[in-house]
């Protein structure tokens, strides 16, 4: 009887010190926050995402250009937490937050109680002119990548049977707006697809006549890199046959047409790679909780990554705006922030002291088609094939999940050796 | 000058003896017919298909159950004929045939002149009751497989957050109508997915409670096999947890419900695997050319696989009905017919004698989930693990394209060792 009482009391004690943390979004930030939190078995973690998979976003351009399949760059969220019984995964959409009652509201009208919330819901394409949005392809989701893939592959099919030379030319013209990493990587990959993979496959068109035009409003591509590396990247793109138009501002987009002042490009495929805005959840929070939004509708966070004005809510990755310094919207930032928040909440739970977040720049890189890349690591600046090998190694290393690493590596090897593509499918 | 004349005359001669053959459909039959024909460089081959890829249909059930990606079981049609300059590939839909002028009409209003046509346009699901069609999933195309995959995976997600036990049970109930190879393979694969792959991934449901019900109107599953093998297959399915309902005739299907007389199954997922009908092209030919259609709207063909009444048109595979004997709707039949027609047309071109077609049954097999299969080869009958290894070997061998062979093999190996699935993605 006494023993029974002790057990009961122990249970009660465990119950008392339990904490419930909801992580919204299973991108690089959310996954790392949840994994870090889950190590403390007294913390109950709930991961909410509208999709059932974590996406390795840096490889989306490879899905769009038929190099990889969606499944190669996604891992089921549940698979991450199979062994962690203190993590529950809910596939659902967040409708808002009731800060006073500490309730996260889901769109199916269910509410989840929380002690802390980590908002890691990411960003979406920001096409400021809604009339333009109808005519361009974005590249933020698997759906985006699959529509783009379909359109790219269909363009060549339509060109093959088109008699009118003007229309035929438009089918094999690809205009990419935005000279950041996404634009550069897409431009290189489309040029390669046309010139190497497809070159022997058509009888009426010559895929090496394909025009790929990369449009950048600023004075150089990859502007977060050093001047010299931007030049290297531009030269590498041009070697692949990409036309790089610098200081070119888009004045209008309509069906099959990009206008840049008096210049007009007739292109069947127009791709938007020129900037993002945070997901709608930030706007919802502005309404529900009354927080401040910064440029790109991002949630302003303090040095501990808490949303300014409500310390129970953390925000990380692309949906957050770090007060102390402007941080780039890249995976390493989200990963570091996710781990930091996980540790910070665990320390809070144990009532230990917490230090402010600071981002450690371990360098960044970009790839330009087959076997060329540029890298900027600390004081090091380099480009070419060595940078590409490094890029391959680092990206495979970061691909979460062993199976994907092996599969992606083999498919690359295969593509590299044969110039073929594994996922050339229209559906 | 004289030399010039000779060259011109040679060109003219080549021109004279050129023959144009159009192959409609790039399934097992069409691809083999085109490949065989292409070896004679004086024959111009045009392959017309509404899709840009050849599909390895026997593996569709693996896409539907998240084991493989669509790209793993498809090869771009153009890739088959990269080196064959006498083969042109056109992605387009056939609208009909003008037999008198020997014109194949495409739905984009373009016409293609032919000397011979090979119709290899295959079959589609045949759900005789159109009211039922809205509530069931088929499995004839990649789109079918992807919708089914989405529904299967979503069912578990919905069950996980459902409070009502009756609804929860319906979410994890899968009713499969038809005990042929497709039904049996799907039933086994869904049971495995639930019991092995997903078992540790949920917190509120136990995926091993999943009900998979295979409904067969006849007295046994896999009725084209020997009685003893049917029994083996049924036992193997039951070991995986599948309920096999024999002599059960579906009387009605409505949303989430299968009725079998007074029996009612509440199932979120209802799959139709009970028969096919030829594609619409056969009906078009009936109208355009006045040919005879046989059971399942199939084109009646003579001993040389020519459509009865028009010897310039050949029909092979699932769209054809062989007058001499009833042939099963399986890949080996289409492959043998494709090769035969290719050779027959080449011999016709060289004015050589042609022998009638006869099907050589090299045996058939079916797989039942992980590491069990049955095989019937000549007088041999066997089941179990050895049959499964044979099945794996033969199927990988027949997967056209080296890359797919290696990729599928590795993914199987990986799935086999880890019980995981590579393509668990909802989109």
């Amino acid at each position: 009887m006494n023993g029974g009482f002790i057990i009961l009391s122990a249970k009660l004690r465990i119950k008392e010190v339990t904490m419930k943390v909801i992580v919204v979004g299973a991108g690089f930030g959310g996954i790392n926050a949840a994994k870090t939190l889950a190590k403390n078995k007294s913390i109950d973690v709930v991961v909410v995402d509208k999709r059932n998979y974590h996406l390795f976003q840096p490889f989306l351009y490879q899905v769009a250009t038929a190099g990889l399949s969606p499944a190669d760059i996604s891992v089921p969220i549940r698979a991450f937490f199979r062994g962690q019984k203190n993590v529950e995964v809910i596939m659902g959409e967040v409708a808002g937050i009731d800060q006073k009652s500490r309730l996260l509201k889901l769109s199916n009208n269910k509410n989840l109680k929380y002690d802390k919330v980590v908002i890691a819901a990411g960003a979406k394409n920001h096409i400021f002119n809604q009339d333009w949005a109808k005519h361009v392809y974005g590249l933020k989701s698997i759906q985006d990548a699959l529509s783009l893939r379909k359109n790219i592959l269909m363009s060549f099919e339509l060109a093959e049977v088109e008699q009118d030379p003007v229309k035929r030319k438009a089918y094999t013209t690809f205009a990419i707006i935005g000279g950041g990493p996404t634009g550069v990587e897409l431009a290189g990959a489309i040029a390669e697809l046309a010139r190497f993979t497809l070159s022997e496959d058509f009888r009426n068109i010559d895929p090496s006549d394909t025009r790929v035009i990369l449009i950048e409003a600023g004075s150089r591509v990859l502007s977060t890199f050093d001047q010299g590396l931007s030049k290297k990247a531009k030269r590498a793109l041009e070697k692949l046959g990409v036309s790089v138009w610098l200081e070119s501002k888009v004045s209008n987009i309509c069906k099959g047409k990009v206008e840049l002042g008096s210049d007009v490009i007739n292109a069947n495929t127009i791709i938007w790679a020129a900037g993002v805005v945070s997901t709608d959840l930030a706007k919802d929070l502005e309404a529900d909780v009354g927080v401040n939004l910064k440029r790109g509708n991002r949630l302003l966070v303090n040095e501990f990554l808490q949303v300014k004005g409500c310390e129970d809510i953390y925000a990380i990755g692309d949906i957050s705006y770090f007060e102390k310094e402007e941080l780039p919207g890249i995976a390493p930032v989200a990963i570091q922030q996710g781990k930091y928040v996980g540790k910070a909440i665990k320390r809070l739970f144990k009532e230990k002291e917490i230090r402010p977040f600071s981002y450690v720049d371990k360098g960044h890189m970009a790839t330009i088609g087959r076997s060329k890349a540029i890298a900027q690591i600390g004081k090091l600046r380099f480009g070419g094939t060595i940078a590409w090998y490094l890029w391959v190694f680092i990206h495979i290393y970061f691909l979460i999940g062993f199976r994907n690493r092996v599969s992606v590596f083999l498919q690359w090897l295969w593509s590299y050796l044969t110039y073929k593509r594994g996922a050339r499918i229209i559906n």
Side-chain angles (χ1 to χ4, degrees), chain A:
Chain A
M1 281 293 148
N2 233 348
F5 178 72
I6 290 161
I7 289 166
L8 186 71
S9 129
K11 262 190 185 164
L12 273 174
R13 191 143 31 86
I14 287 166
K15 196 99 192 147
E16 265 167 50
V17 295
T18 285
M19 188 184 205
K20 189 160 183 178
V21 184
I22 301 179
V23 177
V24 178
F28 286 112
I31 282 286
N32 280 288
K35 278 173 101 175
T36 309
L37 283 162
K39 282 177 195 146
N40 185 329
K41 298 295 169 213
S42 302
I43 297 178
D44 283 335
V45 183
V46 181
V47 178
V48 180
D49 199 298
K50 62 181 174 181
R51 300 190 280 221
N52 78 325
Y53 53 87
H54 164 81
L55 179 66
F56 194 84
Q57 273 199 8
F59 283 174
L60 266 183
Y61 83 96
Q62 297 228 1
V63 172
T65 52
L68 292 175
S69 278
D72 297 326
I73 64 163
S74 355
V75 187
I77 300 166
R78 297 189 182 283
F80 279 109
F81 303 109
R82 185 165 291 167
Q84 256 100 28
K85 297 294 174 192
N86 57 330
V87 181
E88 190 180 349
V89 177
I90 293 176
M91 188 177 162
E93 227 162 326
V94 175
I97 289 184
D98 178 347
Q99 199 202 351
K100 280 209 188 101
S101 327
R102 285 204 192 143
L103 284 178
L104 186 87
K105 296 178 285 179
L106 297 182
S107 60
N108 64 358
N109 290 324
K110 275 170 194 151
N111 295 330
L112 300 172
K113 192 109 190 69
Y114 67 78
D115 296 305
K116 305 283 169 197
V117 176
V118 180
I119 307 281
K124 57 178 188 176
N125 285 308
H126 178 46
I127 302 159
F128 24 86
N129 186 321
Q130 279 311 301
D131 286 339
W132 299 5
K134 295 192 285 285
H135 309 296
V136 301
Y137 290 88
L139 195 64
K140 289 300 288 178
S141 68
I142 284 195
Q143 280 78 352
D144 283 352
L146 290 179
S147 323
L148 183 52
R149 180 178 78 181
K150 182 173 178 175
N151 189 69
I152 292 172
L153 296 175
M154 273 306 289
S155 297
F156 291 99
E157 296 293 336
L158 290 167
E160 173 77 350
V161 293
E162 181 58 59
Q163 305 293 324
D164 179 345
V166 176
K167 283 188 190 163
R168 204 192 298 140
K169 205 170 173 190
Y171 280 134
T172 53
T173 300
F174 301 86
I176 301 159
I177 300 160
T182 304
V184 165
E185 284 169 348
L186 263 176
I190 296 173
E192 281 197 331
L193 176 71
R195 278 170 181 72
F196 299 117
T197 310
L198 302 180
S199 57
E200 297 293 310
D201 281 9
F202 290 85
R203 301 291 174 258
N204 304 319
I205 58 165
D206 181 354
S208 48
D209 293 339
T210 299
R211 296 187 301 178
V212 181
I213 302 169
L214 182 65
I215 299 160
E216 167 59 41
S219 61
R220 58 194 180 99
V221 297
L222 300 173
S223 60
T224 58
F225 287 81
D226 268 10
Q227 193 96 33
L229 290 178
S230 287
K231 275 204 177 140
K232 271 204 172 122
K234 180 168 182 275
R235 226 169 29 234
L237 282 172
E238 284 165 347
K239 269 195 186 158
L240 281 173
V242 175
S243 311
V244 182
W245 293 19
L246 299 176
E247 290 177 337
S248 300
K249 237 183 131 152
V250 173
S251 53
N252 193 27
I253 298 174
C254 49
K255 194 173 157 40
K257 251 189 221 329
V258 181
E259 294 171 22
L260 309 106
S262 52
D263 286 340
V264 179
I265 301 168
N266 286 291
N268 187 47
T269 310
I270 305 166
I271 302 165
W272 186 269
V276 294
V277 65
S278 78
T279 45
D280 297 337
L281 192 56
K283 274 267 179 205
D284 294 344
L285 274 178
E286 188 187 29
D288 290 356
V289 187
V291 296
N292 278 321
L293 295 189
K294 286 283 173 178
R295 197 171 54 75
N297 286 344
R298 288 179 292 169
L299 297 162
L300 181 66
V301 295
N302 66 17
E303 65 209 302
F304 303 107
L305 305 182
Q306 290 161 311
V307 172
K308 287 277 270 196
C310 33
E311 59 178 25
D312 291 340
I313 305 178
Y314 293 78
I316 59 177
D318 284 353
I319 203 170
S320 70
Y321 184 94
F322 192 47
E323 194 176 29
K324 234 173 64 188
E325 55 170 326
E326 177 118 17
L327 296 174
I330 54 176
V333 171
I335 293 169
Q336 287 182 32
Q337 290 187 329
K339 287 181 180 165
Y340 169 85
V341 165
K343 278 183 205 148
I345 295 176
K346 283 198 294 186
R347 291 183 75 84
L348 189 80
F349 183 57
K350 290 184 183 164
E351 293 172 358
K352 286 184 182 169
E353 177 219 11
I354 296 155
R355 283 203 212 161
F357 173 76
S358 70
Y359 174 59
V360 183
D361 184 359
K362 292 180 181 158
H364 47 301
M365 27 196 350
T367 178
I368 309 112
R370 184 183 171 78
S371 70
K372 287 272 176 293
I374 58 169
Q376 176 165 334
I377 299 163
K379 291 209 182 299
L380 268 164
R381 310 271 176 276
F382 59 109
T385 313
I386 292 171
W388 188 76
Y389 282 119
L390 191 67
W391 180 89
V392 168
F393 175 78
I394 287 178
H395 279 75
I396 287 184
Y397 182 80
F398 273 112
L399 254 192
I400 311 166
F402 171 74
R403 179 248 166 208
N404 290 33
R405 266 179 227 172
V406 173
S407 165
V408 169
F409 173 73
L410 286 172
Q411 295 199 42
W412 278 2
L413 190 68
W414 177 83
S415 295
Y416 187 82
L417 295 173
T418 63
Y419 281 95
K420 288 181 186 168
R421 295 271 164 152
R424 265 174 65 193
I425 188 170
I426 297 175
N427 61 10

